[in-house]
Amino acid sequence: MSDELATVVAYGYDLGGQATGWKVRETSFDGVLATDWAEDAEADELFEELPSFLPVLAGAADVHQYGDYEEPQYLLAVHVTEVRATQPISLVGLSRQQDTSAWDEELTAALQTLGLTPLQSAPAWLACAAYL
C-alpha cells in the first residue's frame, strides 16, 4: 500500500476488522477473530500479504484491506475496481441486473476455506476508501 487514498468498489463481503469490530460470527466474547488460522496472529497482521497462517484461496476471491494503516478493515471480494482521485467511474453497470452466480460460488468457497460466516446476508457491491 502507498499513501494514495482511493475508492475501492468491490463485489463481496465486508469482513470488518479488529478496531471497529469483525463483521463475522467467528469472534470471541471480547471481539477477537476466532478461527484456527488466526489464533497465533496479531490483529493488525491477519491478512497482511496473506501470511502463512491464512489459508490459500482458490479462484478469484481474495482478501483486500481498506481503511487506514492503524485500523485496517477487510473485504472478501471477487471483482475489485480501484478508483483514483482523478478518475471517474460509471456505476450504471454495477446497478444493472447481471448474473453473479459464479462470483457467489467463489465467495462461498473462500468463506468455507477461511472458516468465516459473514454477518452480511449475501454478497453485495461495496464502496470504501483504501490506501493504494
Side-chain angles (χ1 to χ4, degrees):
M1 289 195 318
S2 71
D3 290 335
E4 181 183 0
L5 186 61
T7 300
V8 171
V9 178
Y11 182 79
Y13 291 96
D14 182 2
L15 302 178
Q18 188 65 37
T20 59
W22 290 102
K23 297 176 183 177
V24 296
R25 296 190 196 286
E26 294 74 20
T27 56
S28 65
F29 66 92
D30 56 353
V32 175
L33 190 61
T35 64
D36 292 340
W37 55 267
E39 284 181 357
D40 298 325
E42 294 291 326
D44 62 347
E45 67 181 21
L46 278 175
F47 296 108
E48 188 66 30
E49 297 178 21
L50 300 179
S52 60
F53 48 77
L54 181 66
V56 175
L57 300 177
D62 204 359
V63 176
H64 300 271
Q65 184 174 326
Y66 71 94
D68 61 31
Y69 295 114
E70 283 95 33
E71 298 180 347
Q73 306 291 300
Y74 303 95
L75 300 174
L76 176 64
V78 290
H79 180 84
V80 178
T81 301
E82 298 170 350
V83 184
R84 308 207 183 254
T86 59
Q87 181 183 22
I89 183 173
S90 172
L91 299 177
V92 174
L94 301 180
S95 63
R96 288 187 187 142
Q97 281 288 8
Q98 55 186 320
D99 184 11
T100 58
S101 59
W103 289 350
D104 295 348
E105 289 174 14
E106 288 196 37
L107 288 164
T108 298
L111 288 169
Q112 290 173 345
T113 299
L114 293 170
L116 296 175
T117 308
L119 299 179
Q120 185 180 321
S121 63
W125 286 105
L126 307 166
C128 56
Y131 286 96
L132 304 178

